[in-house]
Structures are given as structure tokens and as C-alpha cells.
Amino acid sequence: MDNVKPSVLRLEDITMQFGGVVAVNNLCLEVRKGEIIGLIGPNGAGKTTAFNVVTGVYAPTNGALYLNDNLIIANYPRGKMKEFYQGENKGKYTKSMILSPDRITKMGVARTFQNIRLFKDLTVFENVLIAKHMNIKANIFSATFRLNRKEEQWMREDAMSLLQILGLDKNKDDIASSLPYGKQRRLEIARALATKPSLLLLDEPAAGMNPQESDELMHFIGRIRDDFDLSILMIEHHMQLVMGVCERIYVLDYGIKIAEGNPAEIQNNPRVIEAYLGVDE
Amino acid sequence: MTKKTKTICSIIAGLVIAAFIFYVGEGVSSSSMLRTVLQLGTIYALVAVSMNLLNGFTGQFSLGQAGFMAIGAYTYAVLTIPVDKKANVYYLYGIADSLANVEIPLWLGIIAGGLLAAVLAAIVGAPVLRLKSDYFAIATLGFSEIVRILVGSSPFNRITNGSLGLNSIPGNPSYYTPFIVAGICIAIIVLILTSSYGRAFKAIREDEIAAEAMGIRLSTHKQMAFIISSFFTGISGALLAMYLGAITSTTFPIMLTYNILLIIVIGGMGSVTGSILAAFLVTAAKEWWLRFLDQTMMIGDFQVPLLRTGFRMVVFSIILMLVVLFWRKGIMGQKEFSWDGLLNLFKRVKNRLWGTKKGGTLNG
């Protein structure tokens, strides 16, 4: 039924193995245009590892990753990993394509981090402005001698309007680390949006927030999806938020996908309940 | 303070500095300590600012400055020593045939020094910049030593004159040369730092992972910072050769790098004005104010203990330790000089001195 919407992100049989530890095993996941997808699971289930594979921080051990139906990342067990590989689908992939995180950001995938990673000693405005640097046309000479005034002007205006939309314009000249926690989270999202993504990855956006703040965040996430024409994939532990905002949810446990479906299905899925609450023996 | 008064203050301050440099140039005898400190301080200010570009702004802790200065200095010297003096300079080993008739204008020599340093930085940078923090520092330190040993070694006798070093290097055409060259270079560095690329450098310093997630390509940007920093370090090396008139490989020991490190730590990692200020302070202290520590002093029949050759450096090291322990941010921290900052400082000092007497409470 969802087949009408084009696919934005597709993970096929992604396996990530560190030494002898399989952090993510054979993960298949799809994000379609305009969707808000949740990725949940107990601590250590491999959610952030999956994010790091999507954003190019790690190269997967096996599997393929498509962005807008174009293959961008692929790998198969090579070298020493050939012997140690414990995942499935060995031999299915024979191609190796690895991209660095900056390339993936340029392709329209932006992210936030679990433990906020702002440019702490720079101002709020500079934080957003830096995200505009990746599309700069001027080389270092013309930028130095200010031959790109128009471009610079455009970058500043763009960054400023983004701050206004997200309600951070009053804090423009504040040092990022001096902002209250909720605003730091919001600034991190603003900074990610400044790269003009088509897919936004949020890693525990509600971590450390009180119920009221996370309620605001829920509306905020829905709003930016509409305003910026985004698809969103988010990791979150806050069940109320996940159930409230996500259209589909994937559940990971020990690196394996144990369930997927809409919030109601997930809530009643016995395997999910088992993973979260444990079982009586 | 309004913007207008700030501009007026800046213009006045600029004129005062220019007038001071002019006064020292015209009115003070050429053997005066003040002249030495101003000229040497300017050269150190340029090295410090370019080292700060890499260490303080991009967060790549390099210790290769002495090596790049040596490259700049030797390039300048080899290319500009007058042809008729070359026979004298290279009396022992002779000169390489291809260099025997080379004598280029001084300004071209300075730029050539910077360019060669930049080219070597590009070659060395590709592998070395993959290393993180401490390992990068060790690798650049090693590079600096390799350069120093190579320029003094026999295979290069006919170019660098081996351990004899080079002399008869054409000096400053005028007393003002170092100020003009260093001034232009520092202005360019400031322009780079305030451009979009400068912001990207700062982002890398703040958080490499986040910078990469913002689409900043780490390898090219680190490489850029390394090359730019080395280019201007090379130029300052050429200026030093110009100032000294004679160089050997021992002119560029590791201690030189540490001296500059001392300047940027005292001035504040990540502050251009701090580096400039500290360059003059440190040079004045080292060459002038603390000289007495190196001489034995007699008061009547009593010889003041500890004062002897080399004690100056001990005091210097203690100052560095104190700065790192109690004043880690240095004079300026990551801030730049601003009139508002100066005004605040005056207010704070005023409160300290007079605030308590009135019985008012004191906040920091």
C-alpha cells in the first residue's frame, strides 16, 4: 500500500561485525518519502551502529545501502574478515563501495548525535553557518580575498532564516555550550537542517528531556518534516514519543530485527514485549 | 561603545603603533635593544600566528615549525646570495653548477621560501595528517629534525654549504621590511580565518566527527590548513635569514619550535591578537628584560646565587609551567582583542582596586 511513495533509504542485509562481535546482523530497513520511522530496542541492540553505517562512519561488513534507489554503499567480508565473518548472506554481495561521512552528508543525509556534538565554543549562528560551508563554490583564494561576497551573504541569510524558523534567532550570538539543554538539542537539529537534507537521522532526540519538552519535541519533529519536506529516521527510548509520532517502527535486539510495523502492531507484539520486559521462566 | 568610536579608537591605535615603529626606526640608534625586539618580535609574531592557524584554530598540534622555517630560510639564502659573493661563501665545497649564477630579487626569494615550504608540507601532509593528536605532533617533530639534519649534511654540501652554513645573505633593504611583510601576511591569515574556510577549520578543532557530519571533508581541510601554515612559516624563516644575515642548521633547533609554542600558549591558542602580543612580550623578555639573569651579579662582595649563563631559560620554563597551571587560556584565550574587552578589563581592575575600599562586595 505504501508502494506509491518512492524509497529514500533502503538497507539490504546490512551486517556490521567488530572483531568477533556482530553488532548489527542482516538488517533490512526502508524509509519512504515523507515518513517518520522509529528505530527502537534495548541498550546495546545496535541502533546507533546502524546509524553510523548509514552515515558512513563505519563501513558495513556485508550488505548494501541504497539512497533514493541508487546504490551508494556496499561491502562484503574481505581480508581477515573472510574467516571471522559470522553473519548471514555470505557471498551474496561482491562489490565494495565505501563513502566517507562528508560525502554522504552532501548526498542529503543529515544526522544528530546521541550525546550532543555541537561546536561548543562557537556561537549559535556560526554553528549553523558552518553547515553551509559544504556547498561553497568559492575556493580558498577567492574566499580569502572576499570575491564571493554574494555567496557569503546568501549563506548568512539562509542560516539566519533557519534560526528564525526554529526560534533560535534570539540566541544568535550566544556561545553554543551556554544554551539550555533543550535548545542545544534544537540547535543540533537546526545545524543538520542547514545541510538541506532529504533524510534526517535523529539519535535519541528526547534523551534527557522532561515530559513537557519531549511533548514539544514531538510536535516539532512533525512540523519540520512538513516544512522541510523530509523523511525522518529516529532512534528513541521514549515510547510515548515514538508511538505518537512514528508511522512505522523497527525493533532491534542483539543486532537482529525482531519486529516491524505500525505502533499498534509493535505494542502488541509478544517478541517486543519479551525483549523489553524479559520473560517468565 | 558605539561602532564609530571603536573605529576611531582603532585608527588612533594603528597610528600610534605606526608612529612608534617609525620613531624607533628614525630616532633610536641602530644598536638599540628596542629595534632588535621590534624586528625579531615581528618575525616571531608571524610564525606564531601561522602556527596558531594550525594548532589553535584547526586543532592539529604540529611541532614542525623549525623545519619549515629552515626550509624558507635556506631557500631564500641560496637563491639571493649575490653571485660575486658566492665563491667566498662556498669556499670549501664549491657550489652546485645550476645555482652558481642564480640571484633573484629579494621579494621573490621570500615568496620562493614560502612556496617550497608549502610544497614540502603538501608532500609530508598527505600521510602525516592521517595521524591523530599526539602522533601527529611526533611525526611533525620528526620531520623538523630530518630537515635540520639534512640541510647540515654532506650530500647537500654544494647547495646548503653543509655544517658551515650560509652567510652574506642580503639583509633587510630597509628597517621597515619585516613589518610590512609580516603585516601583509598576518592580514591574509586573518582574512582566511574569518572566511568560510576559517569557520570550517574551527569546526574541525571543535569536533572532528561533527564537522565531518556537516559535510566538511577532513582530509582536504586539514591539508589546506597545514599548507597555508607552512607557507607563512616558510616566509617567516626567510625573514629570519634576512634579519640574521647568516644561518646554519643549528639556527633552527627544536628549541625554536618550543619558543613559538611558548608564545602561542601565553598568547592564547586560537587568538591572533594574543599571539602577536605574546610574540613581542616573550621576545622582549628573552632578549632584553631577562638578560640580567644570565650575568653574574655582585652586590658588594656577595654573589647573587643562581644567576649564570642559561638561568634565563630556567626562569622561562618556569613561566611556561605557571601559565599552563594557572592561566591555561593565556592572555586572550580564544578571544580576539576588542575595545569592549579592554573597557571591561579596566572596569574589573578599577573594581579590584577601589571597589573593596568602599565596602562593596566583589564578584570575581
Side-chain angles (χ1 to χ4, degrees):
Chain A
M1 54 168 185
D2 274 334
N3 287 347
V4 223
K5 291 187 213 157
S7 156
V8 176
L9 175 76
R10 195 165 75 246
L11 273 63
E12 272 183 14
D13 311 318
I14 290 284
T15 301
M16 183 74 231
Q17 183 175 345
F18 299 101
V21 180
V22 184
V24 175
N25 196 354
N26 218 27
L27 177 66
C28 297
L29 183 154
E30 184 161 37
V31 180
R32 293 181 174 278
K33 193 163 166 44
E35 276 185 326
I36 300 181
I37 303 294
L39 186 59
I40 64 171
N43 285 326
K47 305 178 299 283
T48 300
T49 307
F51 260 38
N52 283 338
V53 168
V54 175
T55 52
V57 177
Y58 300 140
T61 320
N62 191 33
L65 192 148
Y66 296 82
L67 193 67
N68 301 321
D69 281 326
N70 297 317
L71 181 69
I72 60 161
I73 296 176
N75 207 359
Y76 60 97
R78 291 175 297 163
K80 274 187 186 168
M81 211 23 110
K82 242 184 211 168
E83 298 162 37
F84 295 123
Y85 185 65
Q86 293 162 11
E88 294 161 43
N89 288 319
K90 194 176 183 177
K92 185 173 172 186
Y93 298 92
T94 52
K95 206 174 173 185
S96 178
M97 265 176 92
I98 292 160
L99 290 179
S100 58
D102 56 285
R103 296 278 301 279
I104 292 184
T105 308
K106 280 177 194 143
M107 290 176 170
V109 179
R111 74 173 294 183
T112 65
F113 296 88
Q114 192 172 355
N115 39 352
I116 307 179
R117 280 181 179 274
L118 290 171
F119 304 124
K120 289 196 184 72
D121 291 335
L122 304 181
T123 66
V124 169
F125 187 57
E126 278 176 312
N127 263 277
V128 179
L129 206 49
I130 282 164
K132 291 269 158 221
H133 177 72
M134 65 175 205
N135 288 326
I136 194 168
K137 290 205 182 62
N139 60 31
I140 188 150
F141 293 103
S142 50
T144 299
F145 297 107
R146 302 293 187 268
L147 303 171
N148 64 335
R149 270 172 214 271
K150 259 190 191 159
E151 189 180 44
E152 178 82 15
Q153 179 74 16
W154 166 84
M155 281 163 70
R156 281 171 187 274
E157 277 168 11
D158 230 32
M160 197 58 224
S161 70
L162 199 62
L163 286 180
Q164 272 161 359
I165 295 169
L166 299 191
L168 287 164
D169 48 324
K170 287 199 186 80
N171 301 95
K172 179 175 171 278
D173 294 320
D174 292 350
I175 299 297
S177 59
S178 73
L179 290 182
Y181 188 78
K183 279 193 174 168
Q184 290 196 19
R185 284 267 175 219
R186 191 176 283 212
L187 174 58
E188 214 191 7
I189 295 175
R191 197 181 63 174
L193 289 175
T195 64
K196 291 217 155 71
S198 53
L199 175 67
L200 181 62
L201 306 179
L202 301 172
D203 197 346
E204 297 199 26
M209 284 187 172
N210 62 34
Q212 191 210 335
E213 279 175 328
S214 59
D215 202 45
E216 278 173 23
L217 183 76
M218 196 165 91
H219 294 291
F220 178 69
I221 290 172
R223 207 187 85 198
I224 56 172
R225 187 257 315 256
D226 300 337
D227 288 358
F228 293 90
D229 195 21
L230 290 173
S231 314
I232 295 174
L233 176 63
M234 67 173 192
I235 295 175
E236 190 47 73
H237 280 301
H238 202 286
M239 281 309 139
Q240 211 182 337
L241 186 123
V242 176
M243 298 301 166
V245 73
C246 293
E247 287 146 20
R248 273 188 306 124
I249 296 168
Y250 290 86
V251 190
L252 286 187
D253 193 22
Y254 294 109
I256 299 166
K257 184 171 77 183
I258 57 171
E260 74 174 278
N262 63 36
E265 285 164 11
I266 294 296
Q267 269 168 329
N268 299 317
N269 186 316
R271 288 193 68 187
V272 177
I273 296 167
E274 186 186 307
Y276 267 91
L277 300 176
V279 273
D280 285 334
E281 293 191 22
Chain B
M1 260 188 178
T2 61
K3 208 172 174 184
K4 205 174 167 190
T5 44
K6 275 182 205 165
T7 325
I8 293 168
C9 280
S10 304
I11 292 169
I12 292 171
L15 285 175
V16 168
I17 292 169
F20 181 68
I21 292 171
F22 182 74
Y23 160 75
V24 174
E26 304 298 319
V28 176
S29 84
S30 58
S31 59
S32 155
M33 225 44 219
L34 206 54
R35 265 181 102 114
T36 312
V37 166
L38 274 185
Q39 292 198 307
L40 212 52
T42 312
I43 296 168
Y44 281 146
L46 178 56
V47 206
V49 172
S50 49
M51 186 177 185
N52 217 336
L53 171 85
L54 188 61
N55 294 34
F57 285 92
T58 320
Q60 306 301 308
F61 202 86
S62 153
L63 291 174
Q65 273 62 30
F68 289 112
M69 280 181 87
I71 292 164
Y74 267 92
T75 311
Y76 171 78
V78 167
L79 294 178
T80 58
I81 293 176
V83 171
D84 51 327
K85 287 189 183 157
K86 278 192 174 169
N88 259 335
V89 176
Y90 292 91
Y91 70 93
L92 196 58
Y93 305 118
I95 183 166
D97 301 331
S98 52
L99 290 169
N101 291 313
V102 175
E103 185 187 342
I104 61 173
L106 302 191
W107 62 269
L108 206 61
I110 295 176
I111 293 175
L115 283 179
L116 191 65
V119 168
L120 278 169
I123 296 167
V124 172
V128 162
L129 282 164
R130 289 168 172 270
L131 302 169
K132 293 246 185 314
S133 59
D134 316 13
Y135 302 100
F136 177 68
I138 294 165
T140 47
L141 188 71
F143 169 76
S144 169
E145 273 299 272
I146 290 169
V147 169
R148 190 178 66 81
I149 289 161
L150 278 185
V151 292
S153 67
S154 50
F156 292 98
N157 274 348
R158 280 156 65 81
I159 301 169
T160 61
N161 212 14
S163 53
L164 297 176
L166 295 166
N167 54 46
S168 306
I169 302 168
N172 292 323
S174 126
Y175 154 81
Y176 299 103
T177 318
F179 302 108
I180 295 167
V181 176
I184 294 171
C185 291
I186 290 175
I188 293 174
I189 294 175
V190 170
L191 282 174
I192 292 172
L193 289 173
T194 48
S195 78
S196 185
Y197 285 89
R199 286 194 297 267
F201 292 163
K202 285 185 212 164
I204 293 173
R205 170 191 71 194
E206 295 290 318
D207 193 325
E208 285 195 6
I209 293 172
E212 210 174 16
M214 290 301 110
I216 294 168
R217 196 167 180 77
L218 290 185
S219 53
T220 46
H221 282 83
K222 282 182 183 176
Q223 180 83 326
M224 250 185 242
F226 193 50
I227 291 173
I228 294 166
S229 170
S230 304
F231 175 75
F232 290 110
T233 309
I235 286 187
S236 66
L239 285 179
L240 191 67
M242 213 176 194
Y243 171 79
L244 294 172
I247 51 171
T248 69
S249 61
T250 50
T251 315
F252 306 96
I254 288 300
M255 272 311 289
L256 182 63
T257 304
Y258 288 131
N259 259 324
I260 300 152
L261 185 63
L262 177 75
I263 290 172
I264 65 170
V265 169
I266 289 180
M269 296 276 262
S271 168
V272 173
T273 39
S275 293
I276 298 172
L277 213 59
F280 287 104
L281 278 178
V282 168
T283 313
K286 212 175 77 170
E287 304 288 328
W288 191 9
W289 300 335
L290 294 181
R291 273 280 170 200
F292 72 93
L293 292 171
D294 271 8
Q295 282 142 14
T296 46
M297 191 194 284
M298 304 292 281
I299 301 173
D301 274 349
F302 173 72
Q303 187 186 343
V304 181
L306 294 175
L307 296 191
R308 70 194 54 163
T309 313
F311 186 61
R312 189 171 49 125
M313 287 322 289
V314 177
V315 173
F316 236 72
S317 310
I318 293 171
I319 293 176
L320 180 61
M321 282 162 79
L322 290 177
V323 168
V324 171
L325 277 174
F326 298 111
W327 213 18
R328 200 164 299 167
K329 290 193 161 176
I331 300 173
M332 303 295 289
Q334 283 185 2
K335 296 191 183 75
E336 294 297 342
F337 172 84
S338 70
W339 293 107
D340 287 334
L342 194 66
L343 214 64
N344 280 336
L345 182 74
F346 280 141
K347 274 182 194 156
R348 275 212 307 273
V349 171
K350 207 172 112 191
N351 276 336
R352 276 258 162 110
L353 293 178
W354 290 288
T356 38
K357 280 180 192 163
K358 287 173 190 162
T361 50
L362 199 67
N363 295 322

